[in-house]
Amino acid sequence: MIHQSAIIHPTAVIGNNVEVGPFSIIEENSKIGSGCRIGSHVIIGSNTILGENNYISHGAIIGSTPQDKSYQGEESYLIIGDNNTVREYVTLCKGTSKGDCFTRIGSNNFIMNYAHIAHDVLMGDHNVIVNNVQIGGHVHIEDYITFGCGSGVHQSCNIGRFAMIGAGSKVSQDIVPYSLADGPRSYIHGINAIGLRRNGFTNEEISTIKKINSILFRQKRTLDQSIEAINNLPPSEFKEHTLNFLNKSTRGIVRMKR
């Protein structure tokens, strides 16, 4: 059902069984996948592509112009996957030419009230973004990460999969996968043990992740020495993923407070 007060641009493509609430606006060249539900007073900006079965709640602004002073009005895009929940007053920006002009959000994410995701962000799947989280531009977010209420991430950081960031934390460097980070200036506080168990990790897998975490944060090694030591561990997907993450880091990693 599309409410009679909604405004939909003639070039917008609307899938099957889509609901659009009162006073919502869908701008030009946007695509809304089948089964999406869009609440009242929502703005879907131009060049925004939504997959199927997304829920966009009251007052959200999806696909807004990037908040970057270098943006000069070039064509830019926001692509969202399937089965996401985007709650009240969330803002999601399109990309800029300093990236590839795309912001990308995966599937099965839960983005809560007043969160902001800036231009050129690349987000994976199954993430939880709690109220008032602020994500800067060019941030890379992997999968199954939880961001606590009011946390903020500096531009161009990488956040590794299955990490947990505590409420009110300020993240200005990369968060290694499987880690627990917290504090007004974030520090690592070990592994995200509760999150790993909730997601079905075995005791043996958690033990392997603890060994990697110990090498990185509990032993007096440089990052290069830590990478060498991790490389000498028995083969595992956790070892390989962590090494790939570390080798891509450009801002350095958040460390454990000593």
Side-chain angles (χ1 to χ4, degrees):
M1 175 182 174
I2 298 176
H3 195 274
Q4 62 183 2
S5 65
I7 300 173
I8 299 176
H9 195 275
T11 61
V13 177
I14 309 298
N16 298 322
N17 302 313
V18 170
E19 299 178 13
V20 181
F23 304 106
S24 288
I25 299 171
I26 300 177
E27 296 182 349
E28 64 270 21
N29 301 320
S30 291
K31 182 177 180 180
I32 311 299
S34 296
C36 286
R37 294 182 295 137
I38 297 172
S40 66
H41 299 86
V42 171
I43 297 177
I44 306 293
S46 61
N47 301 324
T48 297
I49 300 172
L50 273 65
E52 297 185 350
N53 302 314
N54 293 292
Y55 172 54
I56 312 297
S57 189
H58 175 91
I61 301 178
I62 310 301
S64 58
T65 299
Q67 296 180 137
D68 187 312
K69 292 175 71 174
S70 69
Y71 179 71
Q72 299 296 315
E74 58 270 20
E75 288 284 298
S76 61
Y77 302 85
L78 169 66
I79 299 178
I80 299 176
D82 303 326
N83 305 310
N84 296 287
T85 296
V86 179
R87 292 298 299 269
E88 295 83 350
Y89 306 107
V90 165
T91 53
L92 308 178
C93 291
K94 292 180 287 192
T96 69
S97 59
K98 290 194 293 187
D100 62 356
C101 291
F102 285 85
T103 299
R104 295 177 173 87
I105 294 175
S107 299
N108 300 293
N109 297 293
F110 189 3
I111 305 174
M112 299 187 193
N113 302 16
Y114 297 101
H116 173 70
I117 298 176
H119 55 89
D120 303 291
V121 166
L122 175 60
M123 180 189 292
D125 305 326
H126 298 282
N127 297 294
V128 178
I129 313 292
V130 181
N131 306 58
N132 297 300
V133 170
Q134 308 292 297
I135 307 292
H138 305 277
V139 170
H140 181 191
I141 299 167
E142 294 187 341
D143 305 321
Y144 291 96
I145 300 160
T146 299
F147 293 80
C149 178
S151 55
V153 182
H154 190 281
Q155 64 191 38
S156 302
C157 288
N158 299 317
I159 312 297
R161 66 184 184 183
F162 290 101
M164 166 74 191
I165 297 172
S169 297
K170 181 182 79 172
V171 177
S172 56
Q173 292 181 298
D174 297 347
I175 303 291
V176 172
Y178 319 109
S179 296
L180 173 63
D182 192 27
R185 177 185 176 187
S186 288
Y187 289 100
I188 297 298
H189 293 259
I191 67 169
N192 180 21
I194 292 174
L196 295 176
R197 291 192 183 98
R198 286 176 176 172
N199 282 282
F201 283 67
T202 66
N203 289 336
E204 182 179 358
E205 290 170 334
I206 291 173
S207 178
T208 298
I209 292 167
K210 281 183 177 178
K211 288 177 184 176
I212 295 170
N213 187 272
S214 178
I215 290 170
L216 277 171
F217 302 118
R218 298 183 185 275
Q219 300 174 15
K220 293 183 178 180
R221 302 174 186 262
T222 66
L223 183 57
D224 287 342
Q225 290 169 340
S226 295
I227 289 172
E228 183 178 358
I230 293 169
N231 201 40
N232 291 328
L233 293 174
S236 72
E237 66 169 295
F238 314 110
K239 164 188 163 179
E240 298 305 325
H241 186 79
T242 301
L243 288 172
N244 288 337
F245 183 92
L246 293 171
N247 287 324
K248 290 189 300 183
S249 177
T250 59
R251 292 190 57 80
I253 62 171
V254 172
R255 291 287 191 168
M256 183 172 282
K257 190 172 185 180
R258 297 188 181 278

Short mmCIF file of all heavy atoms in Angstrom, two decimals, residues 146-197:
data_model
loop_
_atom_site.label_atom_id
_atom_site.label_comp_id
_atom_site.label_asym_id
_atom_site.label_seq_id
_atom_site.Cartn_x
_atom_site.Cartn_y
_atom_site.Cartn_z
N THR A 146 28.75 -5.46 17.05
CA THR A 146 27.80 -4.67 17.83
C THR A 146 28.47 -3.37 18.25
O THR A 146 29.56 -3.39 18.84
CB THR A 146 27.33 -5.44 19.08
OG1 THR A 146 26.67 -6.63 18.67
CG2 THR A 146 26.35 -4.59 19.89
N PHE A 147 27.80 -2.24 17.96
CA PHE A 147 28.27 -0.92 18.37
C PHE A 147 27.36 -0.44 19.49
O PHE A 147 26.16 -0.25 19.29
CB PHE A 147 28.18 0.07 17.20
CG PHE A 147 29.12 -0.22 16.07
CD1 PHE A 147 28.81 -1.19 15.12
CD2 PHE A 147 30.32 0.48 15.93
CE1 PHE A 147 29.65 -1.46 14.06
CE2 PHE A 147 31.17 0.21 14.88
CZ PHE A 147 30.84 -0.75 13.94
N GLY A 148 27.92 -0.23 20.68
CA GLY A 148 27.12 0.22 21.81
C GLY A 148 26.63 1.64 21.65
O GLY A 148 27.16 2.44 20.86
N CYS A 149 25.62 1.98 22.43
CA CYS A 149 24.94 3.28 22.35
C CYS A 149 25.92 4.44 22.44
O CYS A 149 26.77 4.49 23.32
CB CYS A 149 23.91 3.36 23.47
SG CYS A 149 23.01 4.92 23.54
N GLY A 150 25.81 5.38 21.51
CA GLY A 150 26.59 6.61 21.57
C GLY A 150 28.05 6.45 21.19
O GLY A 150 28.83 7.40 21.36
N SER A 151 28.47 5.31 20.70
CA SER A 151 29.86 5.16 20.29
C SER A 151 30.09 5.88 18.96
O SER A 151 29.15 6.12 18.19
CB SER A 151 30.25 3.68 20.19
OG SER A 151 29.38 2.98 19.33
N GLY A 152 31.35 6.22 18.71
CA GLY A 152 31.70 6.93 17.49
C GLY A 152 32.94 6.35 16.86
O GLY A 152 33.86 5.92 17.57
N VAL A 153 32.98 6.33 15.53
CA VAL A 153 34.11 5.76 14.80
C VAL A 153 34.69 6.81 13.86
O VAL A 153 33.97 7.38 13.03
CB VAL A 153 33.71 4.51 14.01
CG1 VAL A 153 34.92 3.91 13.30
CG2 VAL A 153 33.07 3.47 14.92
N HIS A 154 35.98 7.07 14.02
CA HIS A 154 36.69 8.03 13.17
C HIS A 154 36.72 7.53 11.73
O HIS A 154 36.71 6.33 11.47
CB HIS A 154 38.12 8.18 13.70
CG HIS A 154 38.90 9.30 13.09
ND1 HIS A 154 39.50 9.21 11.85
CD2 HIS A 154 39.19 10.53 13.55
CE1 HIS A 154 40.13 10.34 11.58
NE2 HIS A 154 39.95 11.16 12.60
N GLN A 155 36.78 8.47 10.80
CA GLN A 155 36.81 8.11 9.39
C GLN A 155 37.98 7.19 9.06
O GLN A 155 39.04 7.25 9.68
CB GLN A 155 36.88 9.37 8.52
CG GLN A 155 38.13 10.19 8.71
CD GLN A 155 38.03 11.54 8.04
OE1 GLN A 155 37.00 12.18 8.03
NE2 GLN A 155 39.13 11.98 7.45
N SER A 156 37.74 6.31 8.10
CA SER A 156 38.75 5.42 7.52
C SER A 156 39.22 4.31 8.45
O SER A 156 40.23 3.65 8.16
CB SER A 156 39.96 6.21 7.01
OG SER A 156 39.56 7.16 6.03
N CYS A 157 38.52 4.06 9.55
CA CYS A 157 38.86 2.93 10.41
C CYS A 157 38.26 1.64 9.85
O CYS A 157 37.27 1.67 9.12
CB CYS A 157 38.34 3.15 11.83
SG CYS A 157 39.24 4.39 12.76
N ASN A 158 38.85 0.52 10.24
CA ASN A 158 38.33 -0.80 9.92
C ASN A 158 37.88 -1.47 11.22
O ASN A 158 38.62 -1.46 12.21
CB ASN A 158 39.39 -1.67 9.24
CG ASN A 158 39.87 -1.09 7.93
OD1 ASN A 158 39.07 -0.60 7.13
ND2 ASN A 158 41.17 -1.12 7.69
N ILE A 159 36.70 -2.08 11.20
CA ILE A 159 36.17 -2.76 12.37
C ILE A 159 36.01 -4.23 12.02
O ILE A 159 35.24 -4.58 11.12
CB ILE A 159 34.83 -2.17 12.82
CG1 ILE A 159 34.90 -0.63 12.89
CG2 ILE A 159 34.42 -2.76 14.17
CD1 ILE A 159 35.87 -0.07 13.90
N GLY A 160 36.72 -5.11 12.73
CA GLY A 160 36.75 -6.52 12.39
C GLY A 160 35.53 -7.28 12.85
O GLY A 160 34.85 -6.92 13.81
N ARG A 161 35.26 -8.38 12.19
CA ARG A 161 34.05 -9.16 12.43
C ARG A 161 33.98 -9.69 13.86
O ARG A 161 34.99 -9.95 14.50
CB ARG A 161 33.95 -10.32 11.44
CG ARG A 161 35.02 -11.38 11.58
CD ARG A 161 34.87 -12.42 10.48
NE ARG A 161 35.83 -13.51 10.65
CZ ARG A 161 35.96 -14.52 9.79
NH1 ARG A 161 35.20 -14.54 8.70
NH2 ARG A 161 36.84 -15.47 10.00
N PHE A 162 32.76 -9.81 14.36
CA PHE A 162 32.45 -10.33 15.69
C PHE A 162 33.06 -9.48 16.81
O PHE A 162 33.23 -9.96 17.93
CB PHE A 162 32.89 -11.79 15.84
CG PHE A 162 32.07 -12.74 15.03
CD1 PHE A 162 32.55 -13.23 13.82
CD2 PHE A 162 30.82 -13.14 15.45
CE1 PHE A 162 31.80 -14.11 13.05
CE2 PHE A 162 30.05 -14.02 14.69
CZ PHE A 162 30.54 -14.50 13.49
N ALA A 163 33.40 -8.23 16.52
CA ALA A 163 33.87 -7.33 17.57
C ALA A 163 32.67 -6.73 18.32
O ALA A 163 31.54 -6.71 17.82
CB ALA A 163 34.72 -6.21 16.98
N MET A 164 32.95 -6.26 19.51
CA MET A 164 31.96 -5.53 20.32
C MET A 164 32.59 -4.23 20.77
O MET A 164 33.70 -4.23 21.32
CB MET A 164 31.56 -6.37 21.53
CG MET A 164 30.80 -5.63 22.61
SD MET A 164 29.10 -5.27 22.13
CE MET A 164 28.59 -4.13 23.43
N ILE A 165 31.89 -3.12 20.52
CA ILE A 165 32.37 -1.79 20.93
C ILE A 165 31.41 -1.27 21.99
O ILE A 165 30.21 -1.17 21.75
CB ILE A 165 32.45 -0.85 19.72
CG1 ILE A 165 33.46 -1.39 18.70
CG2 ILE A 165 32.82 0.57 20.16
CD1 ILE A 165 33.48 -0.64 17.39
N GLY A 166 31.94 -0.95 23.16
CA GLY A 166 31.11 -0.55 24.29
C GLY A 166 30.45 0.81 24.10
O GLY A 166 30.88 1.64 23.29
N ALA A 167 29.40 1.04 24.87
CA ALA A 167 28.66 2.30 24.81
C ALA A 167 29.57 3.48 25.11
O ALA A 167 30.40 3.44 26.02
CB ALA A 167 27.50 2.28 25.79
N GLY A 168 29.41 4.55 24.34
CA GLY A 168 30.16 5.78 24.57
C GLY A 168 31.61 5.73 24.15
O GLY A 168 32.36 6.67 24.42
N SER A 169 32.03 4.68 23.47
CA SER A 169 33.44 4.55 23.08
C SER A 169 33.78 5.46 21.91
O SER A 169 32.93 5.70 21.04
CB SER A 169 33.75 3.10 22.71
OG SER A 169 33.57 2.24 23.80
N LYS A 170 35.03 5.92 21.90
CA LYS A 170 35.55 6.68 20.75
C LYS A 170 36.61 5.82 20.08
O LYS A 170 37.62 5.48 20.70
CB LYS A 170 36.16 8.00 21.19
CG LYS A 170 36.69 8.83 20.02
CD LYS A 170 37.35 10.12 20.50
CE LYS A 170 38.74 9.86 21.01
NZ LYS A 170 39.48 11.11 21.31
N VAL A 171 36.37 5.46 18.82
CA VAL A 171 37.27 4.58 18.09
C VAL A 171 38.01 5.42 17.05
O VAL A 171 37.39 6.00 16.16
CB VAL A 171 36.50 3.44 17.41
CG1 VAL A 171 37.45 2.58 16.58
CG2 VAL A 171 35.77 2.60 18.45
N SER A 172 39.34 5.47 17.16
CA SER A 172 40.12 6.26 16.21
C SER A 172 41.15 5.43 15.47
O SER A 172 41.90 5.96 14.65
CB SER A 172 40.81 7.42 16.93
OG SER A 172 41.62 6.95 17.99
N GLN A 173 41.21 4.13 15.78
CA GLN A 173 42.06 3.20 15.03
C GLN A 173 41.28 1.92 14.78
O GLN A 173 40.13 1.78 15.21
CB GLN A 173 43.36 2.92 15.81
CG GLN A 173 44.29 4.11 15.91
CD GLN A 173 45.56 3.78 16.68
OE1 GLN A 173 45.50 3.43 17.85
NE2 GLN A 173 46.70 3.89 16.00
N ASP A 174 41.90 0.96 14.12
CA ASP A 174 41.20 -0.26 13.73
C ASP A 174 40.96 -1.17 14.93
O ASP A 174 41.82 -1.30 15.81
CB ASP A 174 42.01 -1.01 12.67
CG ASP A 174 42.17 -0.21 11.38
OD1 ASP A 174 41.48 0.80 11.20
OD2 ASP A 174 43.01 -0.62 10.54
N ILE A 175 39.80 -1.84 14.93
CA ILE A 175 39.45 -2.81 15.96
C ILE A 175 39.64 -4.20 15.37
O ILE A 175 38.96 -4.57 14.41
CB ILE A 175 37.99 -2.64 16.44
CG1 ILE A 175 37.75 -1.22 16.98
CG2 ILE A 175 37.65 -3.70 17.48
CD1 ILE A 175 38.46 -0.89 18.27
N VAL A 176 40.55 -4.96 15.95
CA VAL A 176 40.88 -6.29 15.44
C VAL A 176 39.67 -7.23 15.58
O VAL A 176 38.91 -7.12 16.55
CB VAL A 176 42.09 -6.85 16.21
CG1 VAL A 176 42.36 -8.31 15.85
CG2 VAL A 176 43.32 -6.01 15.90
N PRO A 177 39.45 -8.14 14.62
CA PRO A 177 38.32 -9.07 14.72
C PRO A 177 38.27 -9.81 16.05
O PRO A 177 39.30 -10.09 16.65
CB PRO A 177 38.57 -10.04 13.56
CG PRO A 177 39.37 -9.26 12.58
CD PRO A 177 40.23 -8.34 13.39
N TYR A 178 37.04 -10.09 16.49
CA TYR A 178 36.72 -10.89 17.67
C TYR A 178 37.03 -10.18 18.99
O TYR A 178 36.96 -10.79 20.05
CB TYR A 178 37.47 -12.25 17.65
CG TYR A 178 37.53 -12.90 16.30
CD1 TYR A 178 38.72 -12.97 15.58
CD2 TYR A 178 36.38 -13.44 15.72
CE1 TYR A 178 38.78 -13.55 14.32
CE2 TYR A 178 36.42 -14.03 14.46
CZ TYR A 178 37.62 -14.08 13.77
OH TYR A 178 37.67 -14.66 12.53
N SER A 179 37.34 -8.88 18.94
CA SER A 179 37.79 -8.16 20.12
C SER A 179 36.65 -7.45 20.84
O SER A 179 35.61 -7.15 20.25
CB SER A 179 38.86 -7.13 19.74
OG SER A 179 40.01 -7.75 19.23
N LEU A 180 36.89 -7.15 22.10
CA LEU A 180 36.01 -6.30 22.91
C LEU A 180 36.75 -4.99 23.16
O LEU A 180 37.85 -5.00 23.74
CB LEU A 180 35.68 -7.00 24.23
CG LEU A 180 34.90 -6.18 25.26
CD1 LEU A 180 33.52 -5.81 24.74
CD2 LEU A 180 34.77 -6.97 26.57
N ALA A 181 36.16 -3.89 22.72
CA ALA A 181 36.78 -2.56 22.89
C ALA A 181 35.83 -1.67 23.68
O ALA A 181 34.61 -1.73 23.50
CB ALA A 181 37.08 -1.93 21.53
N ASP A 182 36.40 -0.84 24.54
CA ASP A 182 35.55 0.02 25.36
C ASP A 182 36.37 1.21 25.85
O ASP A 182 37.60 1.16 25.89
CB ASP A 182 35.00 -0.77 26.56
CG ASP A 182 33.89 -0.04 27.29
OD1 ASP A 182 33.19 0.77 26.64
OD2 ASP A 182 33.72 -0.26 28.50
N GLY A 183 35.66 2.29 26.21
CA GLY A 183 36.29 3.44 26.83
C GLY A 183 36.18 4.70 26.00
O GLY A 183 36.08 4.65 24.78
N PRO A 184 36.20 5.87 26.67
CA PRO A 184 36.12 7.14 25.94
C PRO A 184 37.27 7.34 24.96
O PRO A 184 37.12 8.00 23.96
CB PRO A 184 36.14 8.18 27.06
CG PRO A 184 36.65 7.47 28.27
CD PRO A 184 36.26 6.05 28.13
N ARG A 185 38.43 6.77 25.29
CA ARG A 185 39.46 6.52 24.29
C ARG A 185 39.62 5.01 24.27
O ARG A 185 40.14 4.42 25.20
CB ARG A 185 40.78 7.19 24.66
CG ARG A 185 41.87 6.89 23.66
CD ARG A 185 43.21 7.45 24.07
NE ARG A 185 44.24 7.06 23.12
CZ ARG A 185 45.54 7.29 23.30
NH1 ARG A 185 45.95 7.91 24.39
NH2 ARG A 185 46.42 6.90 22.40
N SER A 186 39.14 4.38 23.23
CA SER A 186 38.96 2.93 23.24
C SER A 186 40.26 2.18 23.50
O SER A 186 41.32 2.51 22.95
CB SER A 186 38.36 2.46 21.93
OG SER A 186 37.03 2.85 21.84
N TYR A 187 40.15 1.15 24.32
CA TYR A 187 41.20 0.16 24.51
C TYR A 187 40.58 -1.22 24.35
O TYR A 187 39.38 -1.42 24.55
CB TYR A 187 41.83 0.28 25.91
CG TYR A 187 42.67 1.52 26.09
CD1 TYR A 187 42.18 2.63 26.76
CD2 TYR A 187 43.98 1.57 25.61
CE1 TYR A 187 42.96 3.77 26.94
CE2 TYR A 187 44.76 2.71 25.77
CZ TYR A 187 44.25 3.79 26.44
OH TYR A 187 45.02 4.93 26.61
N ILE A 188 41.43 -2.18 24.01
CA ILE A 188 40.99 -3.57 23.92
C ILE A 188 40.92 -4.16 25.34
O ILE A 188 41.82 -3.95 26.16
CB ILE A 188 41.95 -4.39 23.04
CG1 ILE A 188 41.94 -3.86 21.60
CG2 ILE A 188 41.58 -5.88 23.07
CD1 ILE A 188 40.61 -3.93 20.90
N HIS A 189 39.85 -4.90 25.60
CA HIS A 189 39.65 -5.53 26.90
C HIS A 189 39.53 -7.05 26.75
O HIS A 189 38.81 -7.70 27.50
CB HIS A 189 38.39 -4.98 27.57
CG HIS A 189 38.50 -3.54 27.96
ND1 HIS A 189 38.76 -3.12 29.25
CD2 HIS A 189 38.40 -2.41 27.22
CE1 HIS A 189 38.81 -1.80 29.30
NE2 HIS A 189 38.60 -1.34 28.08
N GLY A 190 40.22 -7.62 25.78
CA GLY A 190 40.16 -9.05 25.55
C GLY A 190 39.30 -9.38 24.34
O GLY A 190 39.08 -8.55 23.46
N ILE A 191 38.81 -10.62 24.30
CA ILE A 191 37.97 -11.05 23.18
C ILE A 191 36.50 -10.87 23.54
O ILE A 191 36.13 -10.77 24.71
CB ILE A 191 38.26 -12.51 22.77
CG1 ILE A 191 37.82 -13.49 23.87
CG2 ILE A 191 39.73 -12.69 22.41
CD1 ILE A 191 37.82 -14.93 23.41
N ASN A 192 35.67 -10.87 22.51
CA ASN A 192 34.23 -10.74 22.69
C ASN A 192 33.65 -12.13 22.98
O ASN A 192 32.91 -12.71 22.18
CB ASN A 192 33.61 -10.14 21.43
CG ASN A 192 32.11 -9.96 21.53
OD1 ASN A 192 31.54 -9.92 22.61
ND2 ASN A 192 31.46 -9.87 20.37
N ALA A 193 33.99 -12.66 24.17
CA ALA A 193 33.68 -14.06 24.48
C ALA A 193 32.18 -14.33 24.46
O ALA A 193 31.73 -15.35 23.92
CB ALA A 193 34.28 -14.43 25.83
N ILE A 194 31.39 -13.44 25.05
CA ILE A 194 29.94 -13.66 25.10
C ILE A 194 29.36 -13.66 23.70
O ILE A 194 28.56 -14.53 23.33
CB ILE A 194 29.27 -12.60 25.99
CG1 ILE A 194 29.69 -12.80 27.45
CG2 ILE A 194 27.75 -12.67 25.86
CD1 ILE A 194 29.18 -11.72 28.39
N GLY A 195 29.78 -12.69 22.88
CA GLY A 195 29.29 -12.63 21.51
C GLY A 195 29.67 -13.86 20.71
O GLY A 195 28.88 -14.36 19.90
N LEU A 196 30.88 -14.36 20.92
CA LEU A 196 31.32 -15.55 20.19
C LEU A 196 30.48 -16.77 20.59
O LEU A 196 30.04 -17.54 19.73
CB LEU A 196 32.80 -15.81 20.45
CG LEU A 196 33.78 -14.73 19.92
CD1 LEU A 196 35.20 -15.06 20.33
CD2 LEU A 196 33.67 -14.57 18.42
N ARG A 197 30.25 -16.94 21.89
CA ARG A 197 29.45 -18.08 22.34
C ARG A 197 28.01 -17.98 21.81
O ARG A 197 27.42 -18.99 21.40
CB ARG A 197 29.47 -18.17 23.87
CG ARG A 197 30.82 -18.55 24.45
CD ARG A 197 30.74 -18.89 25.91
NE ARG A 197 32.06 -19.19 26.45
CZ ARG A 197 32.82 -18.32 27.11
NH1 ARG A 197 32.38 -17.09 27.33
NH2 ARG A 197 34.01 -18.68 27.55
#
